[in-house]
Amino acid sequence: MSKSENYKALFPALGVAWCAVVMATYYVSNVGYYEEKVGVFAKFLFEALQ
Amino acid sequence: MASILFVLVFFAVLAALGFVAVSKFDRQQRLSGFERVLFSFATGCYAIYFGVFAIGYWRLDSTTMGILAGVLILTALPVLGRLALRDFGRTFARVYQMARGDRLLALLWLAVIGVGLSAIIQGMAPPNDYDSLMYHLSYPQHDIELGRIAVPWGRDSGTQTGLFPAMMSNMTRFALALTNAGVAQMLHGVFGLLAAAAAAALALRLKMSQSVAVLAALLFLSIRFVVWEMATVEVDIAFAAFSILAMLAYTLWRQHETFGLAAIFGLMIGAALLTKYQGYPFAAAFGPLILYDRFVGRKNWSAFLAGPAVAFCVIVPHLARNAMMTGNPLFPLLNNFFNPEEPVYFETSIFEHYGPGMGLLDLIMAPWNFSILPMQHFDGMVLGAPYLLALVPLVVFDLPQAKRLRPMLTILGVFFVVWFYLLNQQVRFLSPVMPLLAIFAAAGATALWRAVRQHKGLKPVYIALIGVLFINQSMFVGIYSAIRLPVALGLMTAETFHSKTPTMTGAMYGTCTFIRRNLKPGEQYFSVVWPHSFYCPQVSVTLSYFDDEAKWWRETDQPPEMNFNTFMQRVETANFRYFFVPTAFEQRRNDTAKAIITKVNPLDYRFGNYLQPVLSRLQPVFEGHYSAVYDGPAVIELLKDLPQPE
């Protein structure tokens, strides 16, 4: 594989890695927010079903 | 059903009226049918703005607004058939044909239609958002109750928004005079669709595929604050619509350099300026590109001259009104410049609360921080899942595409720097560049898909990541439908809706509705509840300050004082039927957005030291979560018995 082909193959991996890093950091940083919202939504659903 | 019909007629009439002007400016037929419809509707909005502006200061009621609507409809009728046949028909036919042969495109269209229509219908839910209750809706409601447009100066001491640009508040006045708040919200929702459609149109103009264009529209509509604000009368979405249309007009002008396209660009910039004061930095963000095009690119003078000239002409009435009323055409902004002897407004709100710092690194890191750490560093989970941050940079995988986007990138960059350093750093204030970011994100997502689709290892990982983002954002979009559609469709009462749906410190629906139902004509009530909710009677209130004190904040930043005897005299003269006081407030600005309820200390509001000994001996006649209503005669009777405070 030539050097330019190597770079070309690297780009998609970089893109996917970027998306993964963004998402992983986001969920780790906002776990408290999602716990709170899931709790509120579960209560909302429970009341609606009742 | 009548509300939906009103919105459809509103759209058709304004599009027809705007079509007359847009056709004149585009004699060479440079615009596609789709673009012409978008510019026509946006231009037609001036008819409502100037109509209400011209009539409303004299008389604002169902009669005058009905006459205005009648005149607009009669003027639009001859054009309507021509416009519908020529542009709507061709556009829809072409879209349908393309979607039939492309499953992904059809799915994207279904998603756009689903999200868009859901947001429009959600507009029929009772108003529940803080800013609308505080001024976007309550100020126009004040004018309707008064019968003419007027600034409620006493209340404006807290918001200073009474003389803000009124493109959208005049829409709200028009809707409130003829129908109700639900229709006003639905009209604002139309601007979300307009912005999404304009994003798609710009993507198509930049030679992107129809799938990328529709994906851009979907990514814009799915932004959390977009789908939320579309069912409110807040103005960020309309601002986004006029802004992306200005970018589209400028892109078209760069391709064809006609005077007419420059004039349309000026009209869109003017509409943005008349929608929100942030329109001024947004307009300025075009400056470097216009200068580059004129002096480096050697393009003709039309955009350099005609665009700003047209924009200036349409904002003159607003500037003149403000100058006549306050001596400051941009009131309340830059008051230290125009009225050096008066207080400076909004000075403290800038740089406060948001953003981790003001250094260069903070500027560079801001997109990361407001996407990844929005609860910690910015104004909350305004965007939802970080799909813009994940997808926008991926556009570099398609270099030809990225190069075509470069001119718009300069506008984005300049506005972003101005937003970061000079404006209040609320993420929704980036609304004018959000449709553009949606285009970048759609192009980026597609570029990476093309790069990984032949790759056995990366393809499933990419699909999984996109899937997680899709599910997460669908939850944000879906939750608003779950909350607002039942009440919008009449499956839930407004009382139940307000009791279950949080808004910052409550909508005061119960307490305000109690006052509205029981206050007789000619009676007054006294309130120290701030902000003054849309649901309360707007004109018959004395809100903390009596009429002669109402403009105190124009002269000093120290609120006036009033001794007990004077207060008693005023209260007895007014013979207030009710006293309306706050009892608690809510804060959600923390890492989890969990509501923290704090009791109000009566000494924190005006006259609290006079009222507190009396209210502690009385039972409220009505009490909500955050406020209480007391019987006026009982309060006045006990006030008389109080020993006079030192």
Side-chain angles (χ1 to χ4, degrees):
Chain A
M1 207 183 257
S2 71
K3 246 185 183 178
S4 71
E5 279 173 332
N6 270 337
Y7 282 128
K8 225 176 175 182
L10 195 63
F11 277 143
L14 276 175
V16 173
W18 165 252
C19 288
V21 167
V22 165
M23 289 167 63
T25 321
Y26 171 77
Y27 289 114
V28 168
S29 306
N30 293 287
V31 64
Y33 173 85
Y34 279 95
E35 274 175 3
E36 160 72 10
K37 290 297 166 198
V38 167
V40 170
F41 187 63
K43 193 178 161 204
F44 172 83
L45 266 185
F46 183 67
E47 282 176 2
L49 288 173
Q50 274 191 327
Chain B
M1 196 61 209
S3 303
I4 294 171
L5 190 66
F6 185 96
V7 172
L8 288 175
V9 171
F10 170 86
F11 178 83
V13 168
L14 293 195
L17 292 169
F19 179 77
V20 178
V22 170
S23 297
K24 288 208 165 103
F25 285 133
D26 183 37
R27 287 187 197 283
Q28 301 91 341
Q29 304 266 329
R30 306 288 192 194
L31 301 178
S32 70
F34 183 44
E35 290 163 344
R36 195 175 297 113
V37 170
L38 304 182
F39 285 123
S40 295
F41 172 68
T43 306
C45 292
Y46 281 106
I48 299 281
Y49 170 72
F50 284 121
V52 175
F53 192 96
I55 302 166
Y57 282 93
W58 166 64
R59 191 172 152 182
L60 183 74
D61 55 23
S62 56
T63 307
T64 53
M65 291 302 101
I67 292 169
L68 174 64
V71 169
L72 297 183
I73 289 169
L74 286 176
T75 315
L77 274 178
V79 192
L80 209 50
R82 206 153 42 100
L83 173 74
L85 284 176
R86 210 170 103 175
D87 293 325
F88 279 106
R90 280 184 201 169
T91 303
F92 284 127
R94 201 167 52 238
V95 163
Y96 179 70
Q97 284 301 328
M98 290 190 78
R100 269 184 68 180
D102 185 337
R103 199 180 294 172
L104 174 68
L105 184 59
L107 279 174
L108 287 171
W109 266 111
L110 282 177
V112 166
I113 291 167
V115 175
L117 282 186
S118 161
I120 298 270
I121 293 169
Q122 286 172 48
M124 287 195 278
N128 183 248
D129 60 297
Y130 186 79
D131 283 13
S132 296
L133 296 171
M134 178 164 60
Y135 59 94
H136 287 304
L137 204 47
S138 57
Y139 277 41
Q141 177 64 24
H142 165 271
D143 298 344
I144 297 291
E145 289 180 22
L146 188 67
R148 62 184 167 81
I149 298 175
V151 179
W153 290 106
R155 187 191 317 182
D156 220 33
S157 65
T159 65
Q160 292 120 26
T161 58
L163 292 172
F164 267 19
M167 174 67 89
M168 297 314 292
S169 52
N170 279 1
M171 297 271 178
T172 303
R173 289 182 177 99
F174 179 76
L176 287 178
L178 293 177
T179 56
N180 54 52
V183 170
Q185 294 185 136
M186 290 168 82
L187 293 185
H188 282 67
V190 170
F191 287 85
L193 297 186
L194 180 69
L202 181 55
L204 290 174
R205 187 50 75 168
L206 294 170
K207 296 187 170 36
M208 295 178 192
S209 71
Q210 199 162 118
S211 299
V212 174
V214 182
L215 179 60
L218 180 63
L219 293 180
F220 171 73
L221 286 174
S222 303
I223 296 171
R224 191 186 183 201
F225 83 85
V226 171
V227 74
W228 168 66
E229 276 199 31
M230 274 179 72
T232 74
V233 296
E234 299 202 16
V235 301
D236 301 290
I237 307 306
F239 182 32
F242 292 126
S243 301
I244 188 70
L245 281 168
M247 291 183 189
L248 176 60
Y250 194 77
T251 303
L252 283 155
W253 176 84
R254 290 185 98 233
Q255 291 172 359
H256 304 292
E257 294 185 54
T258 68
F259 169 83
L261 291 172
I264 292 174
F265 167 62
L267 283 173
M268 296 305 109
I269 287 289
L273 297 174
L274 288 172
T275 300
K276 203 166 169 91
Y277 269 136
Q278 274 91 342
Y280 288 87
F282 176 74
F286 276 91
L289 183 59
I290 292 175
L291 289 172
Y292 174 88
D293 283 342
R294 173 64 201 105
F295 296 108
V296 182
R298 295 284 166 198
K299 293 188 183 295
N300 71 30
W301 285 90
S302 57
F304 189 81
L305 296 174
V310 169
F312 181 71
C313 286
V314 295
I315 65 169
V316 161
H318 170 83
L319 300 178
R321 178 200 66 175
N322 284 13
M324 280 193 292
M325 290 177 80
T326 67
N328 175 357
L330 295 171
F331 189 85
L333 305 182
L334 305 178
N335 213 40
N336 47 340
F337 177 76
F338 290 103
N339 294 315
E341 71 287 358
E342 288 183 12
V344 182
Y345 308 111
F346 293 109
E347 191 180 40
T348 52
S349 65
I350 297 176
F351 309 135
E352 265 192 4
H353 306 305
Y354 307 115
M358 301 301 287
L360 187 62
L361 189 63
D362 300 310
L363 171 74
I364 295 164
M365 289 299 290
W368 177 271
N369 284 330
F370 66 61
S371 300
I372 302 296
L373 304 161
M375 310 300 295
Q376 293 88 338
H377 291 313
F378 281 89
D379 51 331
M381 196 64 74
V382 175
L383 300 175
Y387 64 86
L388 292 176
L389 182 70
L391 301 179
V392 167
L394 304 182
V395 77
V396 297
F397 289 109
D398 187 349
L399 281 178
Q401 205 78 274
K403 276 183 186 164
R404 278 197 290 271
L405 288 165
R406 217 165 34 190
M408 295 299 114
L409 193 60
T410 61
I411 298 166
L412 174 67
V414 174
F415 183 76
F416 183 75
V417 172
V418 173
W419 168 83
F420 188 81
Y421 283 113
L422 297 177
L423 307 179
N424 186 302
Q425 296 170 338
Q426 293 188 53
V427 175
R428 70 189 167 97
F429 288 172
L430 286 169
S431 69
V433 293
M434 285 296 163
L436 187 63
L437 285 173
I439 297 173
F440 277 91
T446 311
L448 186 57
W449 171 247
R450 286 199 194 109
V452 301
R453 69 180 161 188
Q454 306 295 346
H455 200 295
K456 279 183 189 163
L458 292 176
K459 184 179 167 184
V461 179
Y462 184 54
I463 290 173
L465 292 171
I466 295 293
V468 171
L469 284 174
F470 173 78
I471 291 167
N472 194 166
Q473 200 63 14
S474 299
M475 286 163 62
F476 282 114
V477 173
I479 195 73
Y480 289 122
S481 302
I483 289 171
R484 294 193 287 213
L485 280 181
V487 67
L489 297 171
L491 303 172
M492 182 190 277
T493 64
E495 285 84 358
T496 312
F497 171 73
H498 282 295
S499 69
K500 285 173 181 275
T501 311
T503 189
M504 205 155 31
T505 303
M508 310 291 171
Y509 181 78
T511 40
C512 284
T513 306
F514 173 85
I515 297 171
R516 191 174 277 283
R517 281 183 186 148
N518 291 287
L519 200 72
K520 292 185 179 64
E523 287 183 335
Q524 297 271 315
Y525 70 105
F526 184 81
S527 172
V528 280
V529 178
W530 197 90
H532 187 66
S533 170
F534 161 74
Y535 290 108
C536 273
Q538 303 293 314
V539 175
S540 50
V541 63
T542 294
L543 186 61
S544 295
Y545 302 101
F546 291 87
D547 282 348
D548 57 311
E549 305 173 294
K551 287 190 179 178
W552 66 267
W553 55 279
R554 296 286 319 283
E555 290 153 13
T556 170
D557 41 24
Q558 288 303 313
E561 290 181 2
M562 185 178 283
N563 64 35
F564 181 75
N565 286 338
T566 313
F567 175 64
M568 265 312 297
Q569 281 169 10
R570 295 290 183 91
V571 164
E572 282 190 277
T573 307
N575 194 24
F576 292 120
R577 180 65 190 89
Y578 296 111
F579 281 77
F580 186 32
V581 297
T583 53
F585 65 90
E586 178 194 72
Q587 283 178 310
R588 286 175 180 268
R589 196 148 285 153
N590 53 61
D591 288 1
T592 64
K594 190 182 168 93
I596 298 167
I597 313 285
T598 311
K599 280 200 164 187
V600 168
N601 178 357
L603 298 179
D604 287 346
Y605 54 77
R606 195 180 191 212
F607 303 127
N609 53 337
Y610 304 157
L611 291 171
Q612 196 265 342
V614 168
L615 301 184
S616 63
R617 291 165 59 189
L618 289 170
Q619 282 298 313
V621 289
F622 195 95
E623 192 165 16
H625 290 301
Y626 303 102
S627 57
V629 183
Y630 288 84
D631 180 62
V635 172
I636 295 169
E637 206 53 42
L638 283 179
L639 278 170
K640 282 183 197 165
D641 295 341
L642 274 187
Q644 192 177 319
E646 293 287 319

